Amino acid sequence: MKYGVNELGYYGDFGGAYIPEMLYPNVEELRQQYLNIINDAGFRAEFDQLLKDYVGRPSPLYHAKRYSEKYGANIFFKREDLNHTGSHKINNAIGQILLAQRLGKKRIIAETGAGQHGVATATVCALMGLECIVYMGEIDMARQAPNVARMKMLGAKVVSATSGSKTLKDATNEAMRDWIANPVDTHYIIGSVVGPYPYPDMVARFQSIISLEAKRQLLEHTGKELPEYVMACVGGGSNAMGMFYHFLDNESVRLVAVEAAGKGVDSGHSAATTFLGREGVLHGSRTILMQTDDGQVVEPYSVSAGLDYPGIGPQHAHLYKINRAQYVSITDDKALQAGLLCSQLEGIIPAIETAHALAQLEKMQFKASDNVIICISGRGDKDLETYIKYFGF
Amino acid sequence: MNRLQNLFHTKKTNLLSIYYTAGYPELNTTVDIAEALEKAGADFLEIGFPYSDPVADGPTIQHSSETALQNGMTVHVLFEQLKDLRKRVNIPILLMGYVNPILQYGIEKFCKTASEVGVDGIIVPDLPMYEYEALYSKYFLDNNLSNIFLVTPQTSADRIRKIDELSNSFIYLLSSSSITGGSLNVSTNIEDYYKRIKAMELNNPAIIGFGISNNATFTKACEYASGAIVGSAFVKLLAEDNYLEKIPAFVKAIRP
Ligand SMILES: Cc1ncc(COP(=O)(O)O)c(C=O)c1O
């Protein structure tokens, strides 16, 4: 793959494994084994079976007729919101739990922002009977309370991260600290295409099912395999990378990644990483991150907990730098409005993360013949309280 | 030879090093603390420069880093403070911090400035060995700076050999795989680990860190290594009133 990772764990200038020695044995074990494990026929069979019978894949590619009318193109929704647990996060969680089992790990840790990855991880741990600890920022625990309850009901222990901005970045720090202290029996299920190599590549492979299916489904719908546009929101970037993956080498397909502008990119309350960030190291990889001149990580802001992260995965940093994908941003207000529009035009209440990608449709200039696939990364159940407050229902 | 290499040449046992975070509890006492520690008898020092996301650190050093950042500590400010370091302090000094602030400052310029102010070595826990060797070792060596690598009970023998090859002062032996601020683990596993390292007859001496907080843990560590590093326990002292005056008693209590 032209845009894939090289044998040193880099995508162009980005990637690598910038980790303290305490994490080296864990990460090295993964690096040596992940490809063998996930390419093994037995693994593939079990993974595919669970995606089909447990997750409910393939997720539909839905031709959104009223959206198509409104935006003057053929708009297709890739329905990751219909997956078991309500988002794309389960694809990766299933893959990593099967991997953890094969590595003989007994204890699973995860970080979560919106709680979707935490719920997905708690779910697969329940399924496999493994102990599960989820780190979640104190602020996120409050704004995604339904997901905290879900994780507890699934038997996970939810630990609040109270340092720094008390959001996703700090939950990730806490999970890494846990992994340092538990180097032998624990597997860390990272929830996005971030972290030290091999995580970005491993998570992208597990999420690539999204574009694998979408290609085939678009062919069924339109007689064409390649759309003109593929769009997705970006927190760390896993649904976007899954949505882009099998289109990366098809240079005619325009890839659009939507970041969270928060209250506006110049407001000081934003998570628009490519716009505000510079190259550096965050959570174990060289990437683009929001930081001060002194190299301190800037606390991001977005109404959407899943996009409230100061970095992006290293492969996204690479695609951004070489202009293979376009990175744009959408404010809180525009996203929430788009969430309402999607609810009322298509009868689908999207996650606020997803609503950022939907809002970008307003800014696009399509031709009537264009086929556009947009990743509906998750459903909005977890966000009802935020929507209710905003719209005063 | 830098001061650190000199020290290990002349003194082989019971070495005591102290870690503290620059800019904590006050912005401008970095060199005062160093001076007090030298007078109290510390053999060498690690001065941490703060980072917003210190994943290898426990609550005590996290807190000191946060406070230091609020106080206005930056890499630039630290180097400014250290300009007159060598007029007041003679013992070897290491800087310790995470890779991102160094990359933003510029790693070449960082090494050059560090050397100019009289720093002898650098500890960057999240700088990988491969990147160090392939890209950055030149800047360390050109500026006569020692790079210090960490070793944990899980580090393989091959990797320890490689680390030994790339080191030119000492190897930082972690008492367990943990973040800073834990307690010293003296289970039989750990004794085996120390013995295993000792039996490897490495070129570089080992210094034990993480979980050394008092005379008992210091003495225990010195049975297996050339010395030990006290971090969180000292940072806790800095939270007290009149901390500068309490430094001599603190050092004496650890190594009478
Ligand atoms: C529904 C949904 N979409 C998107 C994201 C953002 O993550 P990523 O960029 O990894 O897809 C999240 C994260 O929690 C999410 O829950």
Side-chain angles (χ1 to χ4, degrees), chain A residues 89-281:
Chain A
K89 297 283 182 186
I90 191 78
N91 304 327
N92 170 49
I94 296 267
Q96 286 204 49
I97 202 79
L98 294 177
L99 183 108
Q101 281 185 320
R102 281 156 179 80
L103 292 172
K105 305 291 179 177
K106 300 278 177 273
R107 184 174 171 274
I108 300 297
I109 57 171
E111 86 297 338
T112 195
Q116 286 305 110
H117 175 58
V119 166
T121 304
T123 298
V124 296
C125 286
L127 181 65
M128 302 299 174
L130 292 174
E131 183 186 358
C132 180
I133 297 111
V134 179
Y135 291 91
M136 188 168 188
E138 201 173 32
I139 290 179
D140 292 340
M141 284 180 75
R143 63 178 159 174
Q144 308 277 222
N147 273 345
V148 177
R150 285 168 85 195
M151 286 184 268
K152 289 184 179 162
M153 186 151 176
L154 291 160
K157 186 173 155 203
V158 184
V159 181
S160 88
T162 56
S163 57
S165 54
K166 304 177 176 60
T167 60
L168 182 52
K169 144 180 113 67
D170 310 282
T172 308
N173 291 342
E174 288 306 328
M176 287 190 160
R177 289 180 184 125
D178 180 310
W179 210 21
I180 285 174
N182 296 284
V184 180
D185 66 339
T186 299
H187 177 68
Y188 177 16
I189 302 191
I190 293 186
S192 191
V193 286
V194 302
Y197 177 68
Y199 277 103
D201 184 51
M202 185 168 75
V203 177
R205 283 168 189 262
F206 291 143
Q207 292 294 1
S208 69
I209 184 74
I210 300 174
S211 47
L212 188 75
E213 290 173 359
K215 235 177 177 173
R216 195 187 66 224
Q217 292 166 322
L218 190 71
L219 185 66
E220 283 165 15
H221 274 285
T222 67
K224 286 196 257 177
E225 210 178 35
L226 300 181
E228 274 64 36
Y229 293 91
V230 170
M231 303 171 64
C233 65
V234 176
S238 67
N239 88 88
M241 201 47 71
M243 189 71 253
F244 293 173
Y245 199 89
H246 290 285
F247 296 112
L248 282 171
D249 288 343
N250 302 116
E251 307 276 349
S252 70
V253 179
R254 275 167 278 188
L255 311 172
V256 181
V258 185
E259 300 179 336
K263 294 180 176 160
V265 288
D266 297 320
S267 67
H269 303 278
S270 180
T273 302
T274 54
F275 190 81
L276 295 168
R278 289 195 316 277
E279 294 180 20
V281 168

Side-chain angles (χ1 to χ4, degrees), chain B residues 67-79:
Chain B
T67 308
L69 288 172
Q70 281 161 10
N71 288 344
M73 181 51 71
T74 65
V75 172
H76 283 273
V77 168
L78 177 61
F79 280 138

